[in-house]
Amino acid sequence: MKLSLPKRKSKQAEPAVADGDAEAAAAEPGPSRSEKRARKIAAGKHHSAEGGKDVAGWVDSRTNSTGIYTALLARHVPKGTNWFYTLGSATMFIFAMQAITGVFLAMYYTPSTTQAYASITHLTNDVFMGEFVRGMHKWGSSLMIILIFLHMGRTFFFGAYKYPRELNWVIGVVLLVLTTVMGLTGYLLPFDQRSLWATVVANNITASGPVVGPYLADFLRAGPEVGATTLSRFYALHMMLIPGLIAALIGAHLFLVVKLGTTAPPWVKATRPKGALGEETVPAGVPSPDDAEVPVGQAAASEPTPEETPVSEPAADPADAGGPDAGNAGEEPADPGAEPADDGEASA
Amino acid sequence: MNGREKEEYLREYEILKKKGKPFFPYAIMKDSVMMVIVVAVMIAMSVIMGAEQGPKADPTTTTYVPRPEWYFFYLFELLKVIKPPALVPLATIGIPTIAMVLLLLLPFYDRGPERIPWRRPIATITGILVIIAMAYLTFLGANAGSPTEIELETPAQFERGKQIVAETGCLACHSIGENGAHGGLGPDLTHIGSKIPPAAIKRSVEIGPGIMPSFRDLGEKDLNQVADYLSSLD
Ligand code: HEM
């Protein structure tokens, strides 16, 4: 897909600071670029094109929202990024949909053994769009499971769980478990025969587990039989605890995604310009003991490779609102040594 | 990955990132298209399949066949593959737990620098095999036969007991003759009468040993008929 945006727009959308340069800027001596920007903002010269310039400037000077914007939106995704990379955000999106439809369901649902079933009947048959919203929530749960597995498959086969993204994989697995727990706890809530007996079996299965099994099953059932207390317990887990944990962990997951960047597809390699570089890029003599920890954001930022120099150069000029990436956005990069950048889809 | 490989990776990544495109609008565009597709599928499924409501939960009638949500079928079927009662906890909790721990720790034992799928055949093949196994078990779960019919011939006086067994959903886990869950959660009952005395059969149905639910709520009369019918199977 080739988007041709009007040049002006892409310029506007690109603040002066290039992706990943926040760290580089911090390392520079003298007034950093963020300071310069802050001065510019303070002088009211920012967002001059917009009508609401004062409001924008006011908010900006208090929140540094351009900085947030830069970190979140202007960050680069690597060359070759393809449709497989949409699966994570699709999972997140469907979680948001579940939250929204769930709120509407909660407006009508009563978590008691005597009223749960009737409240669902009422919701399904009488409430405007009730069955539709229930259907969205019900089928959404299946879709979320499918998407989370696809997303996990993508990160697995792309080796995206390797250094430096190990932690993100671990968070992901916890998210996977929590998502299935959502499926399990939600299944009981309509309190029809299906719900009840599936839960009875699930509970017996839990109880058959070694050591903690019986205790966990007792805790979940909260009584001699699956019944009223079980229902309210599952309701609280399904409505509050688990979604809260999921939301928080998605936050952590995305924080790391933004911080570390998404991987490039493993088969996409950076071709180094011939001649000059080669050896220098990988300092052969550098003593690096096996398994030494290499903090992310340092190796690359502290020893700029020759490729980086021409790219980051123009960024030093704060007056250039287009920034170094405007060129990339509108057209192929003009890096003379580089192979023509491919569009990404080609390698999908 | 050793220190050098890590540095090399970061450097290579930095270059690829430079050559890439800004998240906005390029990646966002794809993400949004995907989200639109997801909502469209959600809406379509909701409109076409709706949200049916089953019969009201009734803890006293045990005539309902427990079926989990489809995405738990593979776990459910796993229980059926592993039969010896002593190993049931292994299937219920053991294997899923081990699998989850292995999954969680993956980045810590697979530490090689290689990322291209076809150059790390062990990981790739294992991944594909796991997917095939899960898909197969899910398929088995989805196709588990109708558990409310027993074709095996029965003398007339046991007809009533047979009917109760069929309706009560015993065949969700057990098999009798051609019918029911072959290799199911519970043992085959085709010859149960020759293995266990009638009183023990009745007791099992009543208390529900192991993961089997109790069917005490059938009531004394029905329980006796079930026990008589099962004892006739030899
Ligand atoms: C609620 C569930 C989840 C949400 C909302 C979510 C969201 C995301 C998003 C938006 C990304 C950015 C890149 C992409 O979309 O591919 C991502 C990356 C990643 N996710 Fe997830 N994820 C979830 C579950 C998981 C699971 C279950 C795993 C694995 C066990 C996982 C592992 C990863 C890894 C390793 C990355 C980095 C990928 C890369 O840099 O290429 N995530 N996640």
Side-chain angles (χ1 to χ4, degrees), chain A residues 84-93 95 144 148 151-152 154-155 158 160-161 165 168-173 175-176 179 246 250 253-254 257 261-264, chain B residues 31 103:
Chain A
F84 289 112
Y85 288 77
T86 63
L87 293 166
S89 54
T91 315
M92 178 173 62
F93 173 70
F95 175 70
M144 182 162 174
I148 199 172
H151 171 60
M152 181 170 81
R154 197 284 283 173
T155 54
F158 281 29
Y161 53 86
R165 300 185 181 78
N168 228 7
W169 172 271
V170 170
I171 296 175
V173 174
L175 279 169
L176 177 71
T179 305
I246 291 182
I250 288 181
H253 200 65
L254 291 192
V257 165
T262 46
T263 53
Chain B
D31 284 351
L103 194 69

Side-chain angles (χ1 to χ4, degrees), chain A residues 293-345:
Chain A
E293 283 311 325
V294 180
V296 291
Q298 281 193 10
S302 59
E303 314 171 55
T305 58
E307 284 98 322
E308 283 176 288
T309 326
V311 182
S312 49
E313 183 94 75
D317 177 10
D320 179 8
D325 297 311
N328 269 1
E331 61 218 27
E332 300 299 346
D335 188 344
E339 245 187 16
D342 76 32
D343 231 346
E345 275 71 36

Side-chain angles (χ1 to χ4, degrees), chain A residues 61-86:
Chain A
S61 59
R62 281 156 186 80
T63 59
N64 189 17
S65 47
T66 26
I68 297 167
Y69 167 87
T70 308
L72 290 184
L73 297 180
R75 73 190 160 95
H76 267 200
V77 293
K79 180 181 160 185
T81 297
N82 56 39
W83 285 95
F84 289 112
Y85 288 77
T86 63

